[in-house]
Amino acid sequence: MQRKPLKFLGGAIATAVVALMLIGCRGSTGQNGLNGTNGNNGNNGGNGTPGATYALDITTLTPDDWSATTFKASVTSVTSGTAPVVNFKLTDGHNVPVKGLSAFTSQSSSALYASYPNLGLSIAKLVPGINGSPSRWINYIVTSVPTKTQSLWVPGKPSTENTGVLVDNGDGSYKYTFRHDLTQIKTQLDAYTYTGNNLKADLDDVSYDGTLTHRLTLYVGGIARGTGSAAAGDRSFNTPDGSDSGLAGVYVLNPANAVYDFIPATGAVVTSANEQRDITSVDKCFTCHSKFEFHAGGRQETKYCVVCHNDQRKYGNPEATTTATGYSGSTYKIQNRAVGDFPAFIHKIHHGEGLSKDGYNYANVLFNEVTYPQDQRNCVKCHSNSTATPQGDNWWKKPNRMACGGCHDSVDFATGTGHGSGGPQLNDQN
């Protein structure tokens, strides 16, 4: 019994030791160790394969879809050695790339080459004026391609071509190679035998000069595939064999009109250092007009119009028949000038009821019956100098007989009749 206190004492000592050990574990925290060295970055993963570019396939469009479609086009380059090669892009009205244009071809039994009914291209050179005369566009596309029965290139009024080779890249970009060889147009005209009102001189000098300013025009539009009927008044049929579909043509809502000015010898885009002829803008037209309906609505850009509406349009037409007060019959050619030449044409239409002479009839457009809702002397309504129209002041800086005679049709500049003290003017120097 006398040993129990020692036993209790031993237990107390053990408890105290444990307590001290616990207190010792709660000492102050030591300093953090140094950060370890970062590991090397892993290698970047390879780039993934780009997904396919979405493009609207126009071969899937119904005629109703077609009638609601808008096209927009831009020419990215033109390489011109002999037959021009044109690279362009095509989108819809929402800037979605458009593919499938090359699938729509047409070839009749007599055609040597297939055509693209929804495509048209033209090219013209700008020839500087002399003796004060204005520069003028001369279109190279004044011969139709040979057929299986006609080996010659047949002369005609300036036009477009669509019988070349079209490559569809499937992403909205295309490459078109002309069928016409620009260096051979003059030779083709020289080889033809002209009769009647078909005068070779009326087609002007089409010899190729790659140092001059050239304008490439591009059109995409027309009627839906499988439509086009003579009974409906359509001038072309969009069928594989070019035959009448029996269905009225269904026209695209808004066609594409693209223009590209360049110098063939260098491939460079035209700048202010080169000869230019931009006198008005379609934006001026659309302050009064909402949309042009001629050419079935296919031409909506004045810069496009001028390459075909030039003095070459008189080809194949007789001099207009004169009367005591004006003219009778068709008036495509007056005083050996093309009435359809753009400056004369537009001035006569807009002066309409103010013309001195009557009987004008150009493709059933009766100029004398056209009214104009303002004073025609307000030239700046259509013409003003700007970035888009750097020659917009030509109306007063460089007046000429053709433009002035468009309204002042009672004046005969060759004889001086109707010109008062101005007398005869055989050139535009004065």
Side-chain angles (χ1 to χ4, degrees):
M1 297 298 292
Q2 292 179 351
R3 295 179 181 176
K4 286 183 180 180
L6 291 176
K7 179 178 181 181
F8 289 129
L9 180 58
I13 292 173
T15 300
V17 171
V18 171
L20 289 172
M21 291 176 64
L22 292 174
I23 292 172
C25 290
R26 294 173 186 164
S28 60
T29 302
Q31 295 182 348
N32 292 331
L34 298 175
N35 291 330
T37 303
N38 291 332
N40 294 328
N41 292 329
N43 295 327
N44 292 329
N47 292 329
T49 302
T53 299
Y54 173 75
L56 172 66
D57 187 350
I58 58 174
T59 65
T60 66
L61 300 182
T62 66
D64 284 344
D65 294 333
W66 185 264
S67 68
T69 298
T70 291
F71 288 129
K72 296 190 294 184
S74 61
V75 176
T76 55
S77 69
V78 181
T79 302
S80 183
T82 53
V85 177
V86 183
N87 291 289
F88 67 95
K89 293 182 179 179
L90 183 65
T91 66
D92 70 0
H94 303 288
N95 296 319
V96 175
V98 170
K99 66 179 181 180
L101 184 62
S102 62
F104 293 158
T105 61
S106 182
Q107 185 171 11
S108 67
S109 59
S110 63
L112 191 59
Y113 307 106
S115 64
Y116 299 96
N118 300 114
L119 181 67
L121 296 98
S122 195
I123 189 166
K125 65 179 179 179
L126 183 61
V127 178
I130 57 174
N131 293 326
S133 295
S135 57
R136 69 190 191 279
W137 292 106
I138 298 179
N139 198 315
Y140 290 105
I141 312 303
V142 290
T143 55
S144 60
V145 299
T147 66
K148 292 179 180 178
T149 58
Q150 172 61 267
S151 60
L152 291 176
W153 295 72
V154 180
K157 289 178 171 59
S159 186
T160 62
E161 73 140 75
N162 62 357
T163 55
V165 178
L166 180 65
V167 176
D168 182 349
N169 296 317
D171 60 357
S173 66
Y174 295 82
K175 182 174 74 172
Y176 180 85
T177 303
F178 269 73
R179 182 66 59 186
H180 284 78
D181 179 340
L182 305 189
T183 65
Q184 296 300 310
I185 305 298
K186 184 179 183 302
T187 300
Q188 293 163 6
L189 294 186
D190 290 344
Y192 196 76
T193 300
Y194 299 85
T195 59
N197 295 315
N198 298 324
L199 305 178
K200 177 185 171 185
D202 285 351
L203 292 176
D204 215 323
D205 178 11
V206 296
S207 57
Y208 178 68
D209 185 347
T211 65
L212 296 178
T213 292
H214 280 58
R215 174 166 291 177
L216 183 286
T217 60
L218 168 70
Y219 157 79
V220 180
I223 60 178
R225 187 64 165 178
T227 71
S229 167
D234 299 316
R235 299 175 63 182
S236 62
F237 315 131
N238 194 343
T239 55
D241 60 0
S243 61
D244 193 316
S245 72
L247 301 173
V250 177
Y251 289 82
V252 72
L253 178 63
N254 292 305
N257 287 183
V259 174
Y260 187 82
D261 292 350
F262 70 110
I263 308 296
T266 62
V269 174
V270 167
T271 68
S272 58
N274 307 114
E275 187 78 22
Q276 291 180 291
R277 187 171 175 79
D278 288 324
I279 293 175
T280 191
S281 165
V282 74
D283 292 337
K284 297 276 190 177
C285 303
F286 287 160
T287 61
C288 293
H289 301 276
S290 58
K291 183 179 180 180
F292 298 139
E293 298 300 331
F294 37 77
H295 293 298
R299 306 293 184 266
Q300 300 294 320
E301 171 57 72
T302 53
K303 291 183 178 183
Y304 190 121
C305 300
V306 296
V307 301
C308 287
H309 279 276
N310 57 25
D311 198 44
Q312 293 169 297
R313 293 214 74 74
K314 64 189 178 186
Y315 178 80
N317 295 114
E319 182 72 23
T321 301
T322 60
T323 67
T325 58
Y327 308 97
S328 65
S330 296
T331 53
Y332 288 90
K333 186 178 182 180
I334 296 177
Q335 296 179 358
N336 199 36
R337 289 183 178 274
V339 175
D341 197 346
F342 202 73
F345 188 51
I346 299 304
H347 286 173
K348 286 189 185 297
I349 288 177
H350 288 87
H351 198 47
E353 59 183 351
L355 293 168
S356 298
K357 297 186 177 183
D358 60 20
Y360 286 102
N361 183 346
Y362 186 94
N364 296 322
V365 177
L366 308 180
F367 295 169
N368 301 102
E369 298 181 7
V370 179
T371 60
Y372 192 60
Q374 62 178 283
D375 191 325
Q376 290 94 336
R377 291 171 295 182
N378 183 19
C379 299
V380 295
K381 177 65 178 177
C382 298
H383 302 293
S384 61
N385 181 275
S386 69
T387 301
T389 55
Q391 290 75 49
D393 284 344
N394 275 14
W395 66 273
W396 66 273
K397 287 184 175 180
K398 297 182 179 181
N400 60 81
R401 292 165 298 164
M402 176 178 60
C404 295
C407 291
H408 299 280
D409 62 335
S410 62
V411 176
D412 186 330
F413 290 102
T415 64
T417 301
H419 202 217
S421 60
Q425 296 292 329
L426 302 182
N427 58 45
D428 294 311
Q429 284 183 322
N430 298 321

